[in-house]
Amino acid sequence: MTDHRRITPVILSGGSGTRLWPVSRTGRPKQLLSLTHAETMLQLTLGRTAGTERFAAPIIVANTAHADEIEAQVSAIGVGSHLLILEPAARNTAPAIALAAYAAEPEAILLVMPSDHVIADAPAFHAAIDRATGVVEAGWLSTFGIAAVAPEIGYGYIRRGEEIAPGVQRVEQFVEKPDIVTAQTYLDEGCYSWNGGIFLFTAASYIAALEAVAPAMASAAKEAMDKAVRTGSRILPDTMAFGRSPSDSIDYAVMEKAERVAVVPVEMGWSDVGSWDALYELAIKDNHGNSHHGEVLAIDTARCLIRSEGPLVTAIGVSDLIVIATHDAVLIMPRNESQNVKRIVDSLKRDHHVTLDRHVGSSS
Amino acid sequence: MTDHRRITPVILSGGSGTRLWPVSRTGRPKQLLSLTHAETMLQLTLGRTAGTERFAAPIIVANTAHADEIEAQVSAIGVGSHLLILEPAARNTAPAIALAAYAAEPEAILLVMPSDHVIADAPAFHAAIDRATGVVEAGWLSTFGIAAVAPEIGYGYIRRGEEIAPGVQRVEQFVEKPDIVTAQTYLDEGCYSWNGGIFLFTAASYIAALEAVAPAMASAAKEAMDKAVRTGSRILPDTMAFGRSPSDSIDYAVMEKAERVAVVPVEMGWSDVGSWDALYELAIKDNHGNSHHGEVLAIDTARCLIRSEGPLVTAIGVSDLIVIATHDAVLIMPRNESQNVKRIVDSLKRDHHVTLDRHVGSSS
């Protein structure tokens, strides 16, 4: 390993997905939950780059509503110094990362990570970071290409091109979430990786790319940070300025348009834990394929995921079911159909069947 | 209809079954719940003999712990005068009925009914009562023989003998709950009815039979009533005296041993609502065979019974399931297996997995 600059983790905690409803809500998004371990997804993400000289203090970009909870979680795992940038409005990932880039020194290397993914093999992740660092220091924007192991239709794909450094390839093309037939051809061709939304670049490279391809976004983020108020570890970017930023993802706004974009293929036990089925796959199971969590009494069950955060959940004689219970809502569906949670949440929102704040959460 | 004496309903509310767990608990037994209608099972039972000159004020025999709730339910449906006999101890049905018999005039005709059964066709029930009244006035103990429509193994059966009055037959034999093969032969033979636990006799006939076949029970109940304390409509039999009574059911202690026992066959839409499956059978269903009750959102479900008394219950893509939710417990099982509730409840009690008072209820 060459003597590289320290890397600043930039952790994006802005999401408020409902794919893990009823446990995840707007006010209690996935990254703040304990799903795979006693630690929350955010804490696991922080832990992945903590305790080594290789990484500097992290920058967390988050929704203002979650500030107290985030600081409590950060402090609970003993991560001392950090910056918490509180987005005045939701503008998707490209502007959020811009805030972090303007907060950092220009030459800082930023490791941008979602706050709610699983990476089982941290050493493999660190090795991939090491592989990318050289080209990143040379000005490239790098992404990590997750080894595709199934014809997934829920992810974007990256077509890998020529090798530009050992274990680093030029991105030939970012492609949208495919249909199942296309996904299978990507898998068969062998030169596609999943886009896991993890990036490595210097602050200066990102800002330069943003200024080139999305100047309105760059100037809004810059002004918001120039006028930001800092209180302790919290940074509050200017609301008016940031509000003027267009809203877009880093993939669409920057990566697909920038010159010199690299991908580092990596196999690291990655999962976005994007559904209850995904959590079932990750979970430790008993001899009958059951994963139960919380106050659960299951008799003669097979291949079930049963989680309770509140009531006693009893099940007898059922198989291949997902049952998720909280103090105010219970979800029951077959395994391998957990994408349908979206239909439940949409229906609740549409029909105002229940108080959204209570059962789903409302967008802020 | 001949000019018969008025009939005193005797409603037995002592049960504390858990076959409808988690909704029914020791402290909130089935008869006090609204299961098939807005009215509770007790209220429906009272309503079956209310508002007609044919019936006198009812006598309710109940557990002391339920006294206030019972009086609230009685009053809510406008049943005015009644007697509430509060059992000092649980001694099964024969002594409980004896308390009511001693509270009544000897010549009173008592219509003894469980408080938690469904009788959909009240006119058919009333007609059966009319058919029985003659032999009852002549000193017979009469039971009602529910038309057997399936080889049920959960009920006792009555083998009907010679006709002793129009629509009234001598009981040839009471038989225990059969196995499925025996139940099928009973059904095929056509001379068996289900024993629904509904009886008609004069107070004097019952007491005479009890004195003949179970004298210790008769004397304990008599002494308990001689020393009873009456407060308003409540009668508190003497605890010491009643405590000395043997414990037994009217079937075993009296009906199987007494002379001159009659059965009135009747088809009246009877159900003991003895399981969640039984409730499903009784319920009004949508076009997909679903019966949902409470705050339930079901999408693409078929032939499901889903009831919530607390949390929002959402189900998508499941079929032939029973889901019962209360504020502190959720039960999930396939349809047609609801006898397994007993295994759940036994497991909870045995393993002290949870606080029994909270989740199951403890015997008093």
Side-chain angles (χ1 to χ4, degrees), chain B residues 115-362:
Chain B
S115 54
D116 58 353
H117 290 181
V118 159
I119 293 175
D121 187 351
F125 182 38
H126 292 170
I129 294 167
D130 287 344
R131 286 200 295 283
T133 307
V135 301
V136 162
E137 287 178 327
W140 290 66
L141 307 182
S142 183
T143 181
F144 294 85
I146 313 294
V149 293
E152 282 284 343
I153 60 169
Y155 306 138
Y157 283 67
I158 300 167
R159 183 175 174 86
R160 303 187 306 273
E162 56 172 333
E163 190 167 71
I164 55 173
V168 185
Q169 291 168 269
R170 182 185 286 276
V171 169
E172 202 166 291
Q173 198 185 353
F174 285 94
V175 290
E176 305 261 356
K177 295 175 184 177
D179 58 36
I180 183 71
V181 174
T182 311
Q184 187 61 52
T185 66
Y186 291 169
L187 197 64
D188 296 342
E189 287 181 38
C191 55
Y192 287 86
S193 299
W194 293 336
N195 181 357
I198 307 171
F199 305 98
L200 195 75
F201 37 63
T202 64
S205 302
Y206 182 72
I207 290 169
L210 199 67
E211 285 172 340
V213 299
M217 215 176 262
S219 67
K222 183 173 192 308
E223 186 186 342
M225 289 304 284
D226 285 344
K227 297 181 177 169
V229 175
R230 180 160 176 168
T231 318
S233 58
R234 295 188 185 189
I235 296 181
L236 303 153
D238 185 71
T239 303
M240 289 285 287
F242 195 67
R244 281 194 292 271
S245 173
S247 177
D248 208 352
S249 72
I250 178 175
D251 298 281
Y252 284 121
V254 184
M255 301 305 280
E256 294 186 7
K257 295 172 184 159
E259 308 288 323
R260 298 208 299 168
V261 178
V263 54
V264 183
V266 61
E267 213 163 328
M268 57 184 181
W270 174 89
S271 168
D272 71 344
V273 200
S275 66
W276 288 116
D277 278 307
L279 191 69
Y280 174 81
E281 294 305 326
L282 291 170
I284 294 167
K285 298 164 197 88
D286 68 19
N287 289 341
H288 302 284
N290 298 299
S291 169
H292 300 327
H293 176 92
E295 200 175 31
V296 173
L297 171 64
I299 299 177
D300 296 347
T301 62
R303 302 174 303 281
C304 287
L305 174 72
I306 306 182
R307 287 178 71 99
S308 178
E309 299 202 333
L312 166 68
V313 175
T314 62
I316 187 160
V318 293
S319 52
D320 296 298
L321 270 192
I322 292 172
V323 178
I324 312 294
T326 67
H327 69 289
D328 65 355
V330 180
L331 169 69
I332 298 152
M333 62 187 168
R335 270 189 47 228
N336 299 319
E337 299 184 18
S338 64
Q339 74 284 358
N340 281 329
V341 170
K342 187 173 158 44
R343 292 176 60 195
I344 294 273
V345 171
D346 288 349
S347 177
L348 292 175
K349 286 181 174 171
R350 189 180 58 242
D351 302 342
H352 293 270
H353 176 266
V354 289
T355 310
L356 291 186
D357 282 332
R358 182 155 75 93
H359 286 300
V360 182
S362 57

Side-chain angles (χ1 to χ4, degrees), chain A residues 76-146:
Chain A
I77 56 166
V79 169
S81 75
H82 68 278
L83 276 186
L84 177 57
I85 301 178
L86 297 171
E87 296 173 282
R91 286 292 181 269
N92 210 329
T93 50
I97 296 165
L99 296 176
Y102 284 112
E105 297 298 317
E107 68 275 14
I109 298 177
L110 308 181
L111 171 64
V112 176
M113 296 178 283
S115 54
D116 58 352
H117 290 182
V118 159
I119 293 176
D121 187 351
F125 182 38
H126 292 171
I129 294 167
D130 287 343
R131 288 198 294 281
T133 307
V135 299
V136 163
E137 287 178 327
W140 290 65
L141 307 182
S142 182
T143 181
F144 295 84
I146 312 293

